[in-house]
Amino acid sequence: MAYQDHIIEMGQLIRSKNGTWDGISAESVARMRLQNRFKTGLEIAKYTAGIMREDMAAYDADPANYTQSLGCWHGFIAQQKLISIKKHFGTTKQRYIYLSGWMVAALRSDFGPLPDQSMHEKTSVPALIEEIYTFLKQADARELGGLFRDLDAARAAGDKAKEQKLVDAIDNYETHVVPIIADIDAGFGNAEATYLLAKKMIEAGACALQIENQVSDEKQCGHQDGKVTVPHEDFLAKVRACRYAFLELGVDNGVIVTRTDSLGAGLTKQIAVSHEPGDLGDKYNSFLDCEEIAPADMKNGDVVLNRGGKLLRPKRLPSNLFQFREGTGADRCVLDCITSLQHGADLLWIETEKPHIEQIASMVDRIREVFPNAKLAYNNSPSFNWTLNFRQQVYDAWASAGKDVSSYDRAGLMSVDYDTTELAAEADERIRTFQADSAKRAGIFHHLITLPTYHTAALSTDNLAKEYFGKQGMLGYVAGVQRQEIRQGIACVRHQNMSGSDIGDDHKEYFAGEAALKAGGVHNTMNQFA
């Protein structure tokens, strides 16, 4: 509803109360309504699901329309990210937020820092979603509040042209609320547990849930060893649980991202149930590392498969886990992805051990033989050594092309000694264009970095501590932080305003009129940054 329409509607309601509501300003209510556009998390989930669906269709038409996100572990971090995006690019289009289970475990658990093994409280995930959207809605309220103040100033100055321009800006205001792709890990239990958690996440505002095919009680970070997958039917039950949660809550176009860890997972806890040759369970079991045996070779407690009239004994480890044949990871990934798409997944996530476009594309090409519009969300992970990986890729490409690489040590390419070389320059250019190139070649619709703000918080804090507690003293803060905030136009330099002080002043004036005791007067030191 347009600004003036809100005012008209509220004015009619106030007048209908026979004078008892005359202390209420219709325009003030209109402003508060616009500053709180989304009343519930479900409204957010429905709105942002629509954005993702539109973006997916745009990507299908042209892979240059890929999307991006950064992982955020606190509402303030997400808020500042979106404020920065609007400041620098004028729009939030095609920019999302990623909610990382790794960062929830490491930074938001009541147990303290934990590894990424689904040990944190599962309720902390929907709580963080709600927190992020609370901060994003506050960013809307703050920015709109500034427009309302400018509108009042234009009216006071009798500037009709500026007044109309500001009303247009209010009517066409773009919210900071964007889609969150939220990590539900391996579902935190059985399918019922997954469903219950999915509902909480959706009710908090998540329009996209990312779920992985590991065993819940053995879940590992995608970039650590010891990953254990589950048979497809077990995983698909959880995928369906997520879909049921979306549909029950009325988010009919909710997005499910299915992650396969099969490329790095060489183990399974279960042998799949198979009823006939070639069914899904049989395909899963066909990758097991087995040895053919005769009946006389069977030992007490052996698990034996009958395949084509032969008795096969899967290799079982002392941990009671079963082992897949080496080199089957890519084939298992492709089967995982096709199976997920056949059972309602919207996006795929293939966890890899390095950022190599052709490795990803080699699997996507096979998936697209079955599903031509298959699309990926891809983890541009901080677990990759991007500098070393891409320098080695350039080294290998040069060597393959017959170019002299004798002046480079392939194993030592991370060295600062190579930073100004032609090889390093080409590697950096490949890193710069990686997202656009892989979106075009490897079907990557969404590029995310799982843990970037974890690392930026550590780096910036280290730099500040080094200077402030060293010889620079207070200048370490002023030169390295505050002066940069002022000169770069970082809104947070006016931290009272960012925390909602001006919004509170507006409300005080609405509620108490001229009697309001406001914080933003002439003696507020934040005026030094006006």
Side-chain angles (χ1 to χ4, degrees):
M1 190 185 296
Y3 183 44
Q4 291 299 329
D5 292 336
H6 276 292
I7 295 173
I8 292 168
E9 182 182 276
M10 283 299 99
Q12 291 172 343
L13 177 62
I14 290 167
R15 287 192 296 274
S16 74
K17 300 302 178 180
N18 300 317
T20 60
W21 282 18
D22 284 358
I24 302 295
S25 162
E27 185 160 18
S28 296
V29 175
R31 292 180 176 189
M32 294 174 78
R33 279 185 163 193
L34 290 174
Q35 287 175 302
N36 186 28
R37 171 180 171 182
F38 301 100
K39 309 302 186 290
T40 68
L42 277 179
E43 287 184 20
I44 292 173
K46 292 175 182 178
Y47 167 74
T48 53
I51 290 174
M52 281 197 72
R53 293 292 179 176
E54 290 174 5
D55 287 348
M56 289 161 71
Y59 174 82
D60 287 339
D62 181 356
N65 296 316
Y66 62 90
T67 57
Q68 299 167 292
S69 67
L70 296 174
C72 297
W73 54 273
H74 193 281
F76 176 73
I77 300 295
Q79 178 198 65
Q80 294 305 301
K81 185 186 95 168
L82 267 297
I83 288 174
S84 176
I85 287 170
K86 285 193 73 175
K87 180 182 78 171
H88 291 295
F89 305 104
T91 180
T92 62
K93 185 173 176 57
Q94 297 175 333
R95 279 94 175 190
Y96 303 167
I97 290 169
Y98 180 67
L99 189 153
S100 161
W102 193 102
M103 286 205 287
V104 172
L107 300 170
R108 300 303 301 266
S109 171
D110 286 345
F111 293 109
L114 294 172
D116 184 20
Q117 296 173 351
S118 291
M119 293 188 291
H120 56 280
E121 312 88 344
K122 61 183 179 181
T123 52
S124 59
V125 182
L128 178 54
I129 296 168
E130 182 177 6
E131 175 184 291
I132 287 173
Y133 281 128
T134 297
F135 273 80
L136 296 186
K137 290 193 294 181
Q138 193 262 8
D140 283 357
R142 172 188 165 275
E143 192 170 25
L144 280 164
L147 291 174
F148 296 144
R149 286 167 181 250
D150 291 344
L151 178 61
D152 290 340
R155 285 175 177 169
D159 191 338
K160 294 293 184 181
K162 187 173 183 181
E163 179 182 347
Q164 186 56 53
K165 185 177 180 181
L166 285 162
V167 170
D168 290 342
I170 292 165
D171 285 342
N172 295 289
Y173 180 78
E174 183 182 52
T175 177
H176 291 82
V177 170
V178 298
I180 285 179
I181 298 177
D183 186 359
I184 198 170
D185 277 38
F188 285 90
N190 61 14
E192 175 69 7
T194 302
Y195 154 77
L196 293 171
L197 178 56
K199 280 183 62 178
K200 288 293 185 185
M201 293 170 70
I202 298 163
E203 288 169 339
C207 71
L209 304 178
Q210 171 237 315
I211 187 166
E212 59 206 61
N213 68 335
Q214 291 192 51
V215 178
S216 290
D217 57 352
E218 299 283 354
K219 181 258 190 304
Q220 288 276 20
C221 171
H223 294 278
Q224 291 185 313
D225 204 357
K227 293 187 290 185
V228 182
T229 64
V230 297
H232 295 94
E233 291 295 352
D234 296 44
F235 181 60
L236 294 175
K238 295 184 178 182
V239 173
R240 285 190 288 269
C242 291
R243 183 63 68 199
Y244 271 106
F246 274 125
L247 295 175
E248 177 184 339
L249 296 172
V251 186
D252 297 348
N253 56 352
V255 177
I256 297 176
V257 185
T258 53
R259 181 177 121 183
T260 172
D261 281 284
S262 290
L263 203 61
L267 304 170
T268 183
K269 197 168 188 177
Q270 298 167 265
I271 294 175
V273 174
S274 173
H275 300 288
E276 57 185 48
D279 65 13
L280 197 52
D282 188 48
K283 290 177 181 176
Y284 186 80
N285 295 337
S286 70
F287 295 112
L288 292 169
D289 192 357
C290 300
E291 57 181 344
E292 185 177 351
I293 62 171
D297 299 325
M298 294 176 62
K299 301 175 183 176
N300 185 59
D302 269 353
V303 173
V304 178
L305 298 176
N306 177 10
R307 181 175 298 138
K310 296 179 179 179
L311 291 180
L312 301 176
R313 179 167 56 202
K315 292 183 180 177
R316 185 158 56 177
L317 305 179
S319 60
N320 205 30
L321 299 171
F322 296 95
Q323 184 174 293
F324 290 113
R325 294 194 312 280
E326 192 171 341
T328 61
D331 290 339
R332 287 183 281 123
C333 277
V334 170
L335 179 60
D336 294 345
C337 291
I338 291 173
T339 301
S340 291
L341 292 174
Q342 287 172 334
H343 293 82
D346 301 294
L347 292 172
L348 305 170
W349 174 323
I350 300 175
E351 196 73 275
T352 66
E353 81 288 356
K354 60 182 180 291
H356 195 291
I357 292 176
E358 286 306 315
Q359 179 197 35
I360 305 162
S362 66
M363 291 179 279
V364 173
D365 287 346
R366 295 169 62 187
I367 297 164
R368 285 186 160 181
E369 291 176 5
V370 182
F371 286 93
N373 286 338
K375 292 178 282 295
L376 270 64
Y378 184 71
N379 180 7
N380 292 222
S381 177
S383 293
F384 303 144
N385 184 332
W386 286 76
T387 301
L388 181 60
N389 265 289
F390 276 82
R391 287 181 181 182
Q392 289 180 339
Q393 287 182 37
V394 173
Y395 179 99
D396 294 341
W398 284 8
S400 180
K403 190 169 181 175
D404 182 13
V405 292
S406 59
S407 60
Y408 299 98
D409 172 17
R410 189 182 187 280
L413 288 173
M414 185 66 201
S415 171
V416 67
D417 296 338
Y418 294 118
D419 283 359
T420 58
T421 64
E422 181 187 357
L423 184 146
E426 183 172 330
D428 282 354
E429 179 62 12
R430 289 193 184 196
I431 294 171
R432 187 186 73 81
T433 63
F434 172 80
Q435 294 189 338
D437 293 344
S438 57
K440 183 177 182 180
R441 171 68 186 95
I444 298 177
F445 158 74
H446 185 74
H447 283 279
L448 62 98
I449 308 179
T450 44
L451 321 175
T453 53
Y454 175 91
H455 292 280
T456 55
L459 178 62
S460 61
T461 302
D462 179 84
N463 290 336
L464 174 60
K466 177 179 64 176
E467 299 298 327
Y468 176 74
F469 292 105
K471 293 182 180 180
Q472 292 290 81
M474 190 58 193
L475 184 61
Y477 173 77
V478 172
V481 181
Q482 188 181 80
R483 193 176 296 164
Q484 297 306 315
E485 288 181 304
I486 294 169
R487 291 178 175 172
Q488 295 181 40
I490 305 299
C492 232
V493 71
R494 299 181 67 230
H495 49 259
Q496 306 286 17
N497 168 270
M498 184 59 65
S499 70
S501 179
D502 288 342
I503 296 172
D505 275 359
D506 291 339
H507 291 171
K508 291 175 186 177
E509 190 170 357
Y510 298 164
F511 305 155
E514 293 181 358
L517 181 63
K518 297 192 287 186
V522 294
H523 298 298
N524 188 318
T525 57
M526 283 292 99
N527 293 329
Q528 297 173 41
F529 302 101

